[in-house]
């Protein structure tokens, strides 16, 4: 075991009584709320950490001491020495990417072996998915009357589309019977080349035919390395439950990016709200009792899509810089704005949040005024407890704000909730009041020890 794996963790979380219940950590905004930090810290209290959705579009940061880890496909429980980490059937897996992550972790002293299991039912992201992802967005950017989504380019949408199509899909379990896969890859690549060439033409992009033999050769090498990790993870989770083990599900992306319930079409391609847990993991419906909703006390969003409380001014830039709001996956500058409680309330209901953990408070230090979006004005009506289903309508919504006095001093080293400046507490407590559900934790920075447990009031 390395020093990074044995770093002490705050035990104040024990007071939350999460133990004894299967739980989930779910992003309640547009992603990048700080899920990685919370999963890493809570992981010590669980036996299994399981991803159930998304793919390498996710970028979850875990900071331990002076080391920063960016996890995309591997669950954020991997730094907890005793946790079993499961990549569930609902995840789409780029073999090259997961191997890169494994190698990076091993290089930094994190043991990867029996502690990582990958579902044989999870779908495989292949090189043509990534080409298709980028070309589609380029084609939409070019076509009149259509808009790009601003995807991460990680092949997520095209891989889930193939999963739904079935005939052009590959699952991780097929890597265990690799010789049977050769002709299938050739057939799929031939179809993809035809489609992608035509797509490239529509957006005047050069296109180089993909080489099926090279794709298969890579897959064969990857299969040898990944085989020990591939198994029926649904059975594994059922057995863990039978043995009395406790499971923590790690949502990737976020509720407002959920394919069914987010700001469609500016969403990702999976059910990233808590609604996706059971389909994406094989856990029996109703298993998860605690839903820990992660809310950043301002908003960030990457890519296109409606964002009523967006700040296109100096304050937005200050938040971006102080919050280091640049994509963990793509490095893109994130759009920033005030906390939008209309969407947070909507998303919390959908995900069934039982407890909140809030991040981002430290980023607001130094702002003279902090604003909180508590409603929208749309077509002469005030909206505060629903969300327009149409993205264009949401984009037109004008935010209604409550204003709070800011706090000047940095708060990163506060040890107790009571040590926070009164203005910071007033803001957090008003957010809690409007949410009507306990905020149990507030992060004052990204480190493991920068999590304060809030009084239960
Ligand atoms: P995840 O995808 O939800 O795991 O979050 P990321 O690690 O991708 O991004 C979190 C973003 O929030 C980063 O840009 C952080 O700098 C910013 N941030 C601001 N305050 C906090 C905080 O208190 N905790 C964490 N974890 N992130 C914070
Ligand atoms: P984590 O888990 C922030 C966004 C993309 C894009 C849209 C669709 O780190 O919070 P996709 O590549 O999924 O087809 O892109 O969804 N998106 C995220 N934004 N954090 C994420 O994950 C995201 N995953 C997808 O920026 O707008
Ligand atoms: Mg992220």
């Amino acid at each position: 075991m390395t020093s990074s794996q044995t770093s002490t963790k705050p035990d104040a979380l024990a007071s939350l009584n999460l133990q004894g219940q299967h739980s989930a950590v779910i992003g309640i905004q547009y992603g990048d709320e700080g899920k990685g930090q919370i999963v890493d810290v809570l992981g010590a209290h669980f036996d299994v950490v399981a991803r159930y959705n998304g793919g390498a579009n996710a970028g979850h940061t875990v900071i331990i001491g002076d080391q920063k880890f960016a996890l995309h496909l591997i669950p954020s429980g991997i730094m907890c020495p005793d946790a079993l980490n499961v990549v569930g059937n609902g995840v789409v897996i780029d073999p090259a990417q997961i191997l890169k992550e494994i190698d990076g972790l091993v290089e930094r002293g994190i043991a990867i072996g029996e502690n990582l299991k990958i579902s044989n039912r999870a779908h495989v992201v292949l090189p043509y998915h990534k080409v298709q992802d980028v070309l589609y967005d380029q084609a939409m950017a070019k076509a009149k009357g259509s808009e790009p989504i601003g995807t991460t380019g990680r092949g997520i949408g095209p891989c889930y589309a193939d999963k739904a199509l079935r005939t052009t899909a590959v699952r991780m379990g097929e890597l265990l019977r690799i010789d049977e896969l050769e002709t299938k890859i050739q057939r799929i690549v031939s179809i993809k080349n035809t489609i992608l060439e035509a797509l490239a033409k529509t957006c005047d992009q050069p296109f180089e035919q993909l080489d099926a033999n090279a794709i298969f050769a890579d897959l064969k090498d990857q299969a040898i390395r990944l085989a020990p990790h591939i198994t029926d993870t649904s059975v594994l989770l059922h057995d863990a439950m039978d043995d009395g083990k406790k499971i923590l599900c790690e949502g990737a992306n976020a509720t407002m990016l959920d394919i069914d319930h987010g700001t469609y079409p500016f969403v990702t391609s999976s059910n990233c709200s808590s609604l996706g847990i059971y389909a994406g993991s094989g856990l029996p419906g109703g298993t998860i009792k605690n839903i820990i909703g992660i809310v950043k006390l301002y908003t960030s969003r990457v890519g296109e899509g409606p964002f009523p409380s967006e700040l296109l001014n100096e304050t937005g830039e200050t938040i971006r810089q102080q919050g280091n709001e640049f994509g963990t996956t793509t490095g893109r500058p994130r759009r920033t704005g005030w906390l939008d409680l209309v969407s947070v309330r909507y998303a919390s209901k959908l995900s069934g949040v039982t407890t909140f953990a809030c991040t981002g408070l430290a980023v607001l230090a130094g702002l003279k005024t902090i604003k909180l979006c508590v409603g929208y004005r749309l077509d002469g009506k005030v909206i505060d407890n629903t969300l327009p289903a149409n993205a264009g309508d949401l984009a037109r919504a004008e935010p209604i704000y409550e204003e709070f006095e800011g706090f000047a001093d940095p708060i990163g080293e506060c040890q107790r909730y009571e040590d926070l400046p009164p203005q910071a507490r007033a803001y957090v407590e008003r957010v809690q009041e409007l949410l009507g559900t306990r905020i149990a934790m507030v992060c004052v920075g990204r480190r493991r020890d920068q999590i304060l447990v809030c009084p239960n009031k």
Side-chain angles (χ1 to χ4, degrees), residues 67 131 174 181 220 272 353 426:
Q67 292 215 58
V131 175
E174 290 174 80
L181 202 55
K220 207 169 172 178
C272 26
V353 173

Side-chain angles (χ1 to χ4, degrees), residues 154-232:
R154 296 298 183 110
I156 307 299
C159 184
Y160 279 117
D162 274 342
K163 175 179 177 176
L165 271 174
R166 292 149 294 160
T167 42
T168 45
V170 177
R171 302 207 296 184
M172 290 302 287
E174 290 174 80
L175 302 196
L176 302 177
R177 317 148 74 96
I178 193 74
D179 292 330
E180 293 172 25
L181 202 55
E182 188 164 10
T183 45
K184 182 172 174 181
I185 291 288
Q186 267 158 357
R187 178 173 55 76
I188 297 173
V189 171
S190 145
I191 295 170
K192 294 289 177 185
N193 273 332
T194 310
I195 295 171
L196 294 178
E197 187 166 27
L199 187 58
K201 244 185 220 149
T202 69
C203 47
D204 298 325
Q205 291 297 317
F207 175 71
E208 210 173 297
Q209 294 275 312
L210 292 149
D211 178 349
N213 292 330
I215 291 174
F216 179 70
D218 285 346
L219 211 48
K220 207 169 172 178
D221 291 343
Q222 292 155 350
I224 294 168
R225 293 198 54 204
L226 290 172
H229 302 284
I230 302 172
T231 188
D232 187 331

Side-chain angles (χ1 to χ4, degrees), residues 376-399:
Y376 303 143
R377 212 165 266 118
L378 181 64
D379 299 329
K381 288 197 188 112
V382 171
I383 299 175
D384 60 7
N385 65 353
T386 57
L387 205 76
N390 180 283
D393 289 345
L394 183 56
R396 289 188 300 111
E398 286 170 37

Side-chain angles (χ1 to χ4, degrees), residues 1-284:
M1 217 181 293
T2 67
S3 59
S4 63
Q5 282 173 294
T6 53
S7 304
T8 50
K9 288 174 181 247
D11 209 40
L13 299 163
S15 68
L16 298 177
N17 277 336
L18 296 170
Q19 297 96 325
Q21 303 263 37
H22 303 299
S23 302
V25 167
I26 307 286
I28 299 301
Q29 293 156 298
Y30 296 97
D32 306 323
E33 296 90 350
K35 299 176 287 294
Q37 179 186 22
I38 303 291
V39 171
D40 166 56
V41 171
L42 290 183
H45 299 269
F46 290 85
D47 304 293
V48 182
V49 178
R51 278 273 304 267
Y52 62 87
N53 79 297
N57 51 356
H60 295 181
T61 316
V62 173
I63 296 187
I64 301 171
D66 58 3
Q67 292 215 58
K68 183 170 156 186
F69 299 87
L71 300 161
H72 302 281
L73 280 162
I74 293 186
S76 303
I78 201 72
M79 256 69 77
C80 303
D82 300 324
L84 170 66
N85 287 266
V86 169
V87 183
N89 59 279
V91 178
V92 287
I93 300 171
D94 177 346
Q97 172 62 36
I98 199 165
L99 283 168
K100 194 168 137 195
E101 266 178 67
I102 291 172
D103 291 343
L105 288 166
V106 169
E107 227 167 72
R108 294 167 77 178
I110 310 297
I112 309 274
E114 285 298 308
N115 60 341
L116 177 67
K117 292 293 172 193
I118 300 169
S119 171
N120 53 6
R121 293 184 175 85
H123 281 73
V124 184
V125 175
L126 285 151
Y128 45 78
H129 290 130
K130 291 183 267 189
V131 175
Q132 188 177 340
D133 198 3
V134 174
L135 281 177
Y136 248 104
D137 245 14
Q138 283 174 342
M140 291 306 118
K142 220 166 166 267
K144 238 187 168 164
S146 66
E147 273 184 89
I149 289 167
T151 73
T152 58
R154 296 298 183 110
I156 307 299
C159 184
Y160 279 117
D162 274 342
K163 175 179 177 176
L165 271 174
R166 292 149 294 160
T167 42
T168 45
V170 177
R171 302 207 296 184
M172 290 302 287
E174 290 174 80
L175 302 196
L176 302 177
R177 317 148 74 96
I178 193 74
D179 292 330
E180 293 172 25
L181 202 55
E182 188 164 10
T183 45
K184 182 172 174 181
I185 291 288
Q186 267 158 357
R187 178 173 55 76
I188 297 173
V189 171
S190 145
I191 295 170
K192 294 289 177 185
N193 273 332
T194 310
I195 295 171
L196 294 178
E197 187 166 27
L199 187 58
K201 244 185 220 149
T202 69
C203 47
D204 298 325
Q205 291 297 317
F207 175 71
E208 210 173 297
Q209 294 275 312
L210 292 149
D211 178 349
N213 292 330
I215 291 174
F216 179 70
D218 285 346
L219 211 48
K220 207 169 172 178
D221 291 343
Q222 292 155 350
I224 294 168
R225 293 198 54 204
L226 290 172
H229 302 284
I230 302 172
T231 188
D232 187 331
T233 52
S234 306
V235 169
L236 202 67
L237 292 175
H238 298 161
D239 289 348
M241 283 173 67
D242 290 345
D243 291 346
K245 303 228 163 107
K246 291 298 160 239
I247 298 162
L248 178 67
C249 292
E250 174 178 8
N253 328 126
T255 307
M256 292 301 292
L257 295 173
D258 185 284
I259 179 124
D260 284 287
H261 301 283
T263 54
Y264 195 87
F266 304 101
V267 292
T268 187
S269 305
S270 68
N271 285 118
C272 26
S273 65
S274 71
L275 299 172
I277 291 176
Y278 303 114
S281 67
L283 283 168

Side-chain angles (χ1 to χ4, degrees), residues 303-323:
E304 307 303 320
F307 185 171
S309 63
E310 183 169 15
L311 288 166
L312 297 165
N313 58 15
E314 217 173 288
T315 309
E317 188 54 35
T318 303
I319 292 175
R320 181 160 33 252
Q321 294 302 332
Q322 292 189 176

